[in-house]
Amino acid sequence: GFASALMIFPAAHGAASSQVSAYRQLELFGTAFEQVRTNYVRETTDSELIDAAINGMVTSLDPHSSYMNPKEFNDMQVQTRGEFGGLGIEVTAEDGLVKVVSPIDDTPAARAGIKAGDYISDIDGTSIQGVPLNEAVDKMRGAENSKVTLTILRKGEKKPFDVTLTRAVIKIDSVKFRREADVGYIRITAFNEKTDVELERAIRELKKQIGGGIKGYVLDLRNNPGGLLDQAIAVSDDFLEGGEVVSTRGRRTADTQRYNAKSGDLTDGKPVVVLINEGSASASEIVAGALQDHKRAAVIGMKSFGKGSVQTIIPLSGPGGGALRLTTAKYYTPSGRTIQATGIDPDIAVSQLSEKYDPDRKSTRLNSSHGY
């Protein structure tokens, strides 16, 4: 009857025609769904098939979009609050494998020597090539103190190798700091709900410890996989007297936004050095890019990861619930540079200590009024 109705009332305009086409494709999906449900070698549940269908639709768009079932949605909310279970590793999908964006400090992954840029090909001896990212992540999670073995592919290593890790409850202290003579060293490991508050406390404490002779700050964002956008904006704001921090540009007007800093530099204009590497991603790149473009900081290290797309969490109503993590826009630095797939180039290129020094590597120095 539905198909007959579509034939009786043909669409007169392009938009209506597109809608009719979509309905016909959904009818095709319904047919395929029923065939799988009826004829697949083992019995399946409707929710299993629907979840897989939604996830397949979204992950085909880009590696950062995904569908989260209710459990995964809840786990994500716990993670952004700064405590979650697992290995302490931020990952993305690339070339059908799981790529490590960065291990998080003081977690099983970091202690086991997992590095940014590693690829995970197997989990507990089972290949995850082509497996949806959220499914692979779910396989890495498990009960506290349980073990999991990851097969790692690493650039420079001739053969894959196994690393066995013990799962733990991951508690993220996103900001760590210490005095280094007359310089304040601040390490941000991730951007969660507590980051800006912890950063403000770190700056206050360093001022007390060092006093009026403080010469500047080192902001270490190496292997920081990112996190919450509002925290990246707030952290940037702490070092700026004003101006744009970041803009987002998307398909819809609502997804095109510009975020500005308020007056009030918490560091009183003291020189700032930002450290980045290939494990610095997302929110880390926003901060580095904003301070670099405003010539507020010298950025030192290696080119960052290049994860500059905005994912909006869209809760889904109806039976089963869950949410979509959907790419809706891209980040741009104040000067208009895109971060996605390009990353932030340092002002001074410095390789990791584990790498061989390359005397031919070119680097530039930030032309700024501060003496770095």
Side-chain angles (χ1 to χ4, degrees):
F2 175 72
S4 299
L6 291 178
M7 295 175 67
I8 294 170
F9 301 105
H13 302 289
S17 176
S18 176
Q19 188 175 19
V20 169
S21 176
Y23 284 142
R24 286 176 176 159
Q25 293 297 316
L26 287 173
E27 185 180 2
L28 172 63
F29 169 76
T31 302
F33 175 84
E34 191 57 40
Q35 288 296 326
V36 173
R37 186 189 196 193
T38 304
N39 298 314
Y40 187 60
V41 65
R42 65 170 175 81
E43 189 172 340
T44 59
T45 65
D46 291 351
S47 61
E48 175 188 0
L49 295 179
I50 293 296
D51 283 2
I54 297 172
N55 198 53
M57 172 179 65
V58 179
T59 56
S60 68
L61 302 174
D62 67 70
H64 307 300
S65 296
S66 63
Y67 167 68
M68 295 177 283
N69 62 35
K71 178 184 178 300
E72 292 164 341
F73 185 30
N74 180 69
D75 288 346
M76 183 276 297
Q77 292 171 307
V78 170
Q79 180 171 339
T80 59
R81 289 197 293 269
E83 181 173 326
F84 59 98
L87 302 176
I89 188 171
E90 182 79 12
V91 295
T92 188
E94 187 174 296
D95 298 330
L97 297 174
V98 173
K99 183 179 182 180
V100 176
V101 175
S102 175
I104 300 171
D105 287 0
D106 301 323
T107 63
R111 288 190 289 269
I114 302 297
K115 296 182 178 181
D118 285 348
Y119 287 88
I120 301 170
S121 63
D122 299 74
I123 299 175
D124 286 332
T126 301
S127 173
I128 56 169
Q129 187 164 4
V131 170
L133 181 61
N134 61 335
E135 187 177 326
V137 169
D138 198 49
K139 290 178 183 293
M140 287 187 275
R141 290 187 177 132
E144 184 181 4
N145 295 322
S146 63
K147 293 184 181 299
V148 60
T149 299
L150 308 180
T151 301
I152 304 295
L153 306 175
R154 177 175 295 168
K155 186 178 180 180
E157 297 286 343
K158 294 182 179 179
K159 295 181 179 179
F161 58 93
D162 289 343
V163 177
T164 299
L165 304 93
T166 302
R167 297 182 178 97
V169 173
I170 309 300
K171 295 182 179 181
I172 300 177
D173 295 323
S174 67
V175 178
K176 302 175 182 179
F177 64 95
R178 66 176 181 266
R179 173 181 181 173
E180 293 284 351
D182 52 7
V183 173
Y185 171 84
I186 302 172
R187 164 85 176 134
I188 300 181
T189 60
F191 288 83
N192 60 37
E193 291 175 354
K194 307 171 187 176
T195 302
D196 185 49
V197 172
E198 292 180 7
L199 174 63
E200 291 176 1
R201 181 177 68 85
I203 293 173
R204 285 196 306 269
E205 289 298 319
L206 287 167
K207 285 181 176 180
K208 286 180 184 177
Q209 292 176 18
I210 302 174
I214 188 167
K215 287 189 176 178
Y217 298 85
V218 173
L219 182 62
D220 190 349
L221 300 178
R222 290 174 299 174
N223 291 329
N224 180 322
L228 300 175
L229 172 62
D230 65 330
Q231 294 296 299
I233 295 167
V235 166
S236 301
D237 194 352
D238 290 339
F239 295 94
L240 296 171
E241 281 290 354
E244 183 180 314
V245 173
V246 67
S247 63
T248 61
R249 304 176 199 174
R251 176 178 168 189
R252 303 181 310 155
T253 303
D255 295 321
T256 301
Q257 308 235 2
R258 192 179 304 275
Y259 301 91
N260 296 313
K262 304 182 292 292
S263 62
D265 177 355
L266 298 186
T267 61
D268 306 313
K270 297 291 185 182
V272 178
V273 167
V274 177
L275 305 181
I276 62 171
N277 65 2
E278 66 276 12
S280 305
S282 189
S284 301
E285 296 172 292
I286 290 173
V287 175
L291 299 187
Q292 186 182 55
D293 279 3
H294 284 286
K295 294 182 167 50
R296 180 63 188 90
V299 178
I300 298 177
M302 302 301 294
K303 181 193 282 285
S304 61
F305 186 83
K307 198 279 185 184
S309 57
V310 182
Q311 280 71 52
T312 301
I313 304 301
I314 306 173
L316 301 177
S317 59
L324 291 179
R325 185 198 303 269
L326 193 66
T327 299
T328 54
K330 291 182 179 180
Y331 294 123
Y332 291 83
T333 71
S335 66
R337 293 179 294 162
T338 180
I339 296 171
Q340 179 62 27
T342 61
I344 299 295
D345 284 308
D347 299 300
I348 304 171
V350 179
S351 61
Q352 298 288 85
L353 292 176
S354 60
E355 296 176 4
K356 292 182 179 178
Y357 171 65
D358 180 0
D360 296 324
R361 182 186 297 278
K362 294 180 180 179
S363 65
T364 58
R365 191 175 184 87
L366 182 66
N367 181 16
S368 152
S369 60
H370 298 300
Y372 298 102

